[in-house]
Amino acid sequence: MTLATTPQTTAATCEKLKCKECGAEYELQAKHVCEECFGPLEVVYNYDTLRRTVTRESIQKGPNSIWRYRPFLPVLTENVIDVGTGMTPLVQANRLARRLGLKKLYIKNDAVNMPTLSFKDRVVSVALSRARELGFSTVSCASTGNLANSTAAIAAHAGLDCCVFIPADLEAGKVLGTLIYNPTVMAVEGNYDQVNRLCCEVANTHGWGFVNINLRPYYSEGSKTLGFEVAEQLGWQLPDHIVAPLASGSLFTKIYKGFQEFVKVGLVDEKAVRFSGAQADGCSPIAQAFKEERDFVTPVKPNTIAKSIAIGNPADGIYALEIARKTNGNIESVNDAEIIEGIKLLAETEGIFTETAGGTTIAVLKKLVEAGKIDPEETTVAYITGNGLKTQEAVQGYIGEPLTIEPKLDSFERALERSRTLDRLEWQQVLV
Amino acid sequence: MTLATTPQTTAATCEKLKCKECGAEYELQAKHVCEECFGPLEVVYNYDTLRRTVTRESIQKGPNSIWRYRPFLPVLTENVIDVGTGMTPLVQANRLARRLGLKKLYIKNDAVNMPTLSFKDRVVSVALSRARELGFSTVSCASTGNLANSTAAIAAHAGLDCCVFIPADLEAGKVLGTLIYNPTVMAVEGNYDQVNRLCCEVANTHGWGFVNINLRPYYSEGSKTLGFEVAEQLGWQLPDHIVAPLASGSLFTKIYKGFQEFVKVGLVDEKAVRFSGAQADGCSPIAQAFKEERDFVTPVKPNTIAKSIAIGNPADGIYALEIARKTNGNIESVNDAEIIEGIKLLAETEGIFTETAGGTTIAVLKKLVEAGKIDPEETTVAYITGNGLKTQEAVQGYIGEPLTIEPKLDSFERALERSRTLDRLEWQQVLV
């Protein structure tokens, strides 16, 4: 525990790993694939214990971070890595709601998550806490950028050796925002899916803890906190509709699992929540499968500015598909121009600067409202998962420029007059 | 109120404005300079009411933001702008402490403050809440970057018109991180002190609310929350020593005021807290005055990479001097190379990526420890006030590069071997 305030938590309740496909069970080790059927492994908890021991009050007395939900997370000791991750604001987005024609819209703002400004800090905090319990001294990941930032930062804080793998063509802010923590950085000349395949091999030959490979069952549980927090922040109730970006599909399925678990242990009332997913046209294998009513996902080769969600062969794609369908949600995609407009729209109306993944979510939200696929009366939550300062090149050239003036009053007055004239002209064009 | 959770606050207790020099009193209007003696005006509260009505429990029941301290802030209505600002982590920095030779070191991490990743979100949340109460529809500021980001973002959220003034040579991330919210941006060809002088003229000729000029008495009170939060997060006690950056000097004096107010109303026990300040060599008018034992500050022309604290003519410089002296603290400065090393040191040991101002604070912290001016036994808090993603150019070229590899196992193994050999060579050099 590294924060100044002391957490109040109850004992861990995770019991085993279980295959999502065939149900085979395993001990809580560094393992992510079923030996029987190659299905993905998931952590199982004792929900009876959870129902008996966890209350709204016990959670509220906990630390102001994801670790207030520790009984729902797959760590065994009290000694977790807490750098203040989680409990990001759920902002009532009235100005954006009015622009879109919605009545009750909220933004879950992980663009200001701690310490590295994306939702990945949640999954990495959990994965590295578990990695330390399992005795790993070197941690690693295959990343589209945000995960590399987060793994390098939290490993530095915890004093773990770190080696991260990224595609060589990542945004400058994401590379620098990893190197600053002084890990080993491998820039792989290929796309994320190639990086991921290489990392699977490395995980087999080196005794490293890859947060999103051999530690994936623990790692992915961290995303449940995005469900827990929204339920708590809405006053212990579930929303009607959520919109979240889809990369591997894991985040989407874990928000769902988070809501289900809170219902299961009696922390919130049961409710039908619609799950809608957002992809970029340039990498939309799940959206395509949804549109074509397929129950399998065909891999694609990514080509979009939304690099952080550009996973062409999404590991949890079919589970995301299944959830969108059974909750009466949708999966949509938008093009790069719409993504940039989404970033600008959120910034102008709500003062939240998100990266391309968040622009994708807002653009899909807009598209779904315009298509009548989100009811204006629904309480809707859009998940913003990363910060715009990391993908500055995406909006450079699309946001205007400062008016350069001399440090004199008359120079200012002339510039102000020019800008007002330009505004009027723009409005006249809008009105015409 | 714009967050999903509802705040629980008691009534406002601010009563009037009072001149810090001659004591002349004024109504709570948009005014920052005394008509009698040109001294700065400050907000006065009713501490009897505060002592009677505010408890640790009433604060803890409040929102998870600076607005939990609303009775200590200069707003009259319940309708404040709450975008989740404040309540940033106080991180126990054990790894950095070991590197420096300290025992109890904490980092107050405003690099992840909401919404725009600097402590300025605190002062702007207060200033714009008050601006709205006073009826302003256009808000403005003179900024070295962080303030422009914050004013533009929070004005966007609140639906206020916004015009910001910055020096034309600011870091790219700070310009883009302002433009994205679509305010009017005036890039002034001059340094901050020239920008500030121009804004004083504009404030007189236009009916705008300049957060750090005519609204300055309200604005600056927001910084007290950096004192309040540290006291609360340390378990309702004061630290022994704080280190904070000095730009105008306002932050420093308001952390002091925050501690004093908590003592005054009985929320914490009285204690001698040492106040040490950090400046960059390239703009160190307060450090120079401290060193030369002057009680006046001679303005300088700034020339440093720490642009966000490059104020050559600091408005509250003499008050900062006074506090450092009477608390037995110090004011030190460091050069640009030390600032970069400070940024890297904090990132490598604690996983916190700060901008140049934070690098200055860490470098001064190190210098003070090495000079025996901070006792290893003291509970020390270093204030990190902004995020490193905004000043990427400062560290570019000083943080190494990724190892570029092909997506093949043998290419990875060769690169890993090379990097380990390099590490060994570096260690040998260190040992020689």
Side-chain angles (χ1 to χ4, degrees):
Chain A
M1 177 60 192
T2 47
L3 277 187
T5 46
T6 312
Q8 301 183 18
T9 48
T10 55
T13 62
C14 52
E15 293 192 322
K16 56 199 171 199
L17 296 177
K18 192 175 175 180
C19 175
K20 260 184 115 159
E21 292 298 326
C22 77
E25 295 184 356
Y26 300 88
E27 280 178 27
L28 292 166
Q29 58 196 292
K31 190 182 198 67
H32 68 302
V33 177
C34 178
E35 288 171 11
E36 311 287 330
C37 75
F38 301 104
L41 302 184
E42 199 169 34
V43 179
V44 176
Y45 301 80
N46 186 326
Y47 291 110
D48 287 334
T49 305
L50 281 167
R51 200 176 304 113
R52 273 203 321 277
T53 54
V54 181
T55 62
R56 294 177 181 178
E57 292 69 33
S58 72
I59 290 172
Q60 282 166 335
K61 272 186 200 149
N64 186 38
S65 72
I66 58 166
W67 297 109
R68 67 206 279 118
Y69 309 108
R70 199 173 76 73
F72 294 90
L73 296 173
V75 289
L76 298 176
T77 61
E78 288 281 337
N79 182 24
V80 298
I81 304 169
D82 188 347
V83 286
T85 301
M87 289 305 280
T88 53
L90 182 69
V91 178
Q92 192 162 356
N94 294 333
R95 298 188 69 228
L96 176 58
R98 268 198 300 277
R99 282 275 278 272
L100 297 178
L102 292 175
K103 292 195 181 155
K104 277 172 287 180
L105 175 65
Y106 294 88
I107 300 292
K108 179 61 176 170
N109 185 12
D110 261 19
V112 286
N113 199 16
M114 301 168 191
T116 68
L117 315 175
S118 87
F119 88 99
K120 292 292 185 187
D121 292 328
R122 299 172 183 274
V123 286
V124 171
S125 289
V126 174
L128 296 195
S129 295
R130 185 68 189 138
R132 212 161 58 171
E133 286 182 351
L134 290 167
F136 288 103
S137 57
T138 300
V139 293
S140 189
C141 66
S143 171
T144 54
N146 282 323
L147 183 56
N149 294 172
S150 188
T151 303
I154 301 177
H157 179 83
L160 294 161
D161 286 334
C162 179
C163 177
V164 303
F165 295 76
I166 53 173
D169 71 342
L170 271 198
E171 298 95 342
K174 288 196 174 156
V175 179
L176 183 136
T178 302
L179 285 168
I180 193 71
Y181 306 108
N182 203 20
T184 303
V185 180
M186 297 282 171
V188 182
E189 289 177 326
N191 60 35
Y192 173 77
D193 301 286
Q194 291 172 290
V195 174
N196 194 49
R197 271 196 299 276
L198 172 62
C199 287
C200 289
E201 291 187 67
V202 177
N204 287 332
T205 53
H206 290 255
W208 294 354
F210 275 81
V211 299
N212 55 343
I213 301 177
N214 50 352
L215 296 168
R216 191 173 180 87
Y218 310 103
Y219 159 93
S220 59
E221 290 287 288
S223 291
K224 292 190 310 192
T225 58
L226 273 171
F228 298 153
E229 288 178 18
V230 162
E232 183 179 344
Q233 289 171 319
L234 286 174
W236 301 100
Q237 53 188 355
L238 301 182
D240 296 314
H241 205 144
I242 71 108
V243 183
L246 294 175
S248 74
S250 169
L251 169 69
F252 201 71
T253 65
K254 294 295 177 167
I255 294 171
Y256 183 81
K257 188 179 178 190
F259 287 166
Q260 294 292 104
E261 286 186 339
F262 262 25
V263 170
K264 207 177 283 183
V265 304
L267 286 167
V268 299
D269 290 337
E270 188 148 18
K271 184 176 180 182
V273 184
R274 298 173 68 195
F275 273 67
S276 290
Q279 294 210 294
D281 283 350
C283 183
S284 55
I286 313 175
Q288 285 168 30
F290 184 87
K291 198 172 167 188
E292 294 163 16
E293 298 182 3
R294 283 189 267 115
D295 54 7
F296 59 93
V297 175
T298 309
V300 300
K301 211 171 158 195
N303 180 20
T304 168
I305 57 167
K307 294 183 185 179
S308 67
I309 51 172
I311 298 183
N313 188 12
D316 294 297
I318 52 163
Y319 303 115
L321 262 182
E322 199 181 299
I323 289 170
R325 283 191 184 125
K326 77 179 174 198
T327 63
N328 196 25
N330 288 279
I331 299 178
E332 252 309 345
S333 67
V334 286
N335 64 37
D336 286 357
E338 290 171 304
I339 291 170
I340 292 168
E341 284 308 309
I343 294 174
K344 289 170 66 176
L345 178 61
L346 182 64
E348 284 173 24
T349 54
E350 295 299 334
I352 294 171
F353 182 19
T354 184
E355 60 162 21
T356 44
T360 308
T361 302
I362 296 300
V364 164
L365 172 71
K366 183 165 180 276
K367 198 163 175 176
L368 291 175
V369 175
E370 286 168 355
K373 290 175 177 170
I374 294 179
D375 188 313
E377 301 291 337
E378 284 181 310
T379 297
T380 301
V381 175
Y383 282 90
I384 296 302
T385 49
N387 197 291
L389 286 172
K390 297 191 189 184
T391 61
Q392 298 182 30
E393 43 276 76
V395 291
Q396 201 90 53
Y398 299 95
I399 49 165
E401 286 188 358
L403 301 163
T404 303
I405 62 172
E406 292 168 68
K408 288 175 187 160
L409 195 58
D410 62 338
S411 176
F412 158 72
E413 298 289 359
R414 282 196 307 273
L416 186 67
E417 190 47 48
R418 274 202 312 278
S419 85
R420 285 180 171 162
T421 310
L422 283 172
D423 278 355
R424 270 196 301 274
L425 284 173
E426 270 179 35
W427 273 106
Q428 281 165 1
Q429 283 171 343
V430 171
L431 296 173
V432 168
Chain B
M1 178 60 192
T2 48
L3 280 186
T5 45
T6 313
Q8 300 182 21
T9 48
T10 54
T13 61
C14 52
E15 293 191 322
K16 56 199 170 199
L17 296 177
K18 192 174 174 179
C19 175
K20 262 184 113 158
E21 293 297 328
C22 76
E25 296 184 355
Y26 301 88
E27 280 178 29
L28 292 167
Q29 56 194 295
K31 188 182 201 68
H32 69 302
V33 177
C34 178
E35 288 171 12
E36 310 289 329
C37 73
F38 301 105
L41 303 183
E42 198 168 35
V43 179
V44 176
Y45 300 81
N46 186 326
Y47 291 109
D48 287 333
T49 306
L50 280 167
R51 201 176 303 113
R52 273 202 322 277
T53 54
V54 180
T55 62
R56 294 176 181 178
E57 292 68 35
S58 71
I59 289 172
Q60 282 165 336
K61 272 188 200 148
N64 186 38
S65 72
I66 58 166
W67 296 108
R68 67 205 280 116
Y69 309 108
R70 199 174 76 72
F72 294 90
L73 295 173
V75 290
L76 298 176
T77 60
E78 287 282 338
N79 182 26
V80 297
I81 303 169
D82 188 347
V83 285
T85 300
M87 288 306 280
T88 54
L90 181 70
V91 178
Q92 192 162 354
N94 295 331
R95 297 189 71 230
L96 177 59
R98 267 199 300 278
R99 282 275 278 272
L100 297 178
L102 292 175
K103 292 194 180 156
K104 279 172 286 179
L105 175 64
Y106 295 88
I107 301 292
K108 179 60 175 171
N109 185 11
D110 261 20
V112 287
N113 198 16
M114 302 169 189
T116 68
L117 313 176
S118 86
F119 88 98
K120 292 293 185 187
D121 292 328
R122 299 172 183 273
V123 285
V124 171
S125 289
V126 174
L128 297 195
S129 295
R130 185 68 189 138
R132 210 161 59 172
E133 287 182 350
L134 289 168
F136 289 103
S137 57
T138 300
V139 292
S140 189
C141 66
S143 172
T144 55
N146 282 322
L147 183 56
N149 293 173
S150 188
T151 303
I154 300 178
H157 179 84
L160 294 161
D161 286 333
C162 180
C163 177
V164 302
F165 295 75
I166 53 174
D169 70 343
L170 270 198
E171 298 95 343
K174 289 196 174 157
V175 179
L176 184 136
T178 301
L179 284 168
I180 193 71
Y181 306 108
N182 203 21
T184 303
V185 180
M186 297 281 171
V188 182
E189 290 177 326
N191 61 34
Y192 173 76
D193 301 287
Q194 291 172 292
V195 174
N196 194 49
R197 270 196 298 277
L198 172 62
C199 287
C200 290
E201 291 186 68
V202 177
N204 287 331
T205 53
H206 289 256
W208 294 354
F210 276 80
V211 299
N212 56 342
I213 300 177
N214 49 352
L215 296 169
R216 190 172 181 87
Y218 309 103
Y219 159 92
S220 59
E221 290 287 289
S223 291
K224 292 191 310 191
T225 59
L226 272 171
F228 298 153
E229 288 178 18
V230 162
E232 182 178 347
Q233 290 171 320
L234 285 174
W236 301 101
Q237 52 189 357
L238 301 182
D240 296 313
H241 204 143
I242 73 109
V243 183
L246 295 174
S248 75
S250 169
L251 168 69
F252 201 70
T253 64
K254 293 296 177 167
I255 294 171
Y256 182 82
K257 188 178 179 190
F259 287 166
Q260 295 292 102
E261 287 186 340
F262 263 25
V263 170
K264 207 177 282 186
V265 304
L267 286 166
V268 299
D269 289 337
E270 187 147 20
K271 184 175 178 181
V273 184
R274 299 173 68 196
F275 273 66
S276 290
Q279 294 210 295
D281 282 350
C283 182
S284 55
I286 312 176
Q288 285 168 28
F290 185 86
K291 198 172 167 189
E292 294 163 15
E293 298 181 3
R294 282 188 266 116
D295 55 4
F296 59 93
V297 175
T298 310
V300 300
K301 212 173 159 192
N303 179 21
T304 168
I305 58 168
K307 294 183 185 179
S308 67
I309 51 171
I311 298 184
N313 188 12
D316 294 297
I318 51 163
Y319 301 115
L321 262 182
E322 199 180 299
I323 289 170
R325 284 191 184 126
K326 77 179 172 197
T327 63
N328 196 25
N330 287 280
I331 299 176
E332 251 311 343
S333 66
V334 286
N335 64 37
D336 287 357
E338 290 171 305
I339 292 170
I340 292 168
E341 285 309 309
I343 294 173
K344 289 171 65 177
L345 178 62
L346 182 64
E348 284 173 24
T349 54
E350 295 299 334
I352 294 171
F353 183 19
T354 184
E355 60 161 21
T356 44
T360 307
T361 302
I362 296 300
V364 164
L365 171 71
K366 184 166 180 278
K367 198 164 176 176
L368 292 176
V369 176
E370 286 167 357
K373 289 176 177 169
I374 294 180
D375 188 312
E377 301 291 335
E378 285 182 310
T379 297
T380 301
V381 175
Y383 283 90
I384 296 301
T385 48
N387 197 290
L389 287 171
K390 296 190 189 184
T391 61
Q392 298 183 29
E393 44 276 76
V395 291
Q396 200 92 51
Y398 300 95
I399 49 165
E401 286 189 359
L403 301 162
T404 303
I405 62 172
E406 291 168 68
K408 289 174 186 162
L409 195 57
D410 62 339
S411 176
F412 158 71
E413 296 290 359
R414 282 197 306 274
L416 185 67
E417 190 48 46
R418 272 202 312 280
S419 86
R420 284 179 173 162
T421 310
L422 283 172
D423 277 354
R424 268 195 302 275
L425 286 172
E426 271 179 35
W427 273 106
Q428 281 165 1
Q429 284 172 341
V430 170
L431 295 173
V432 168

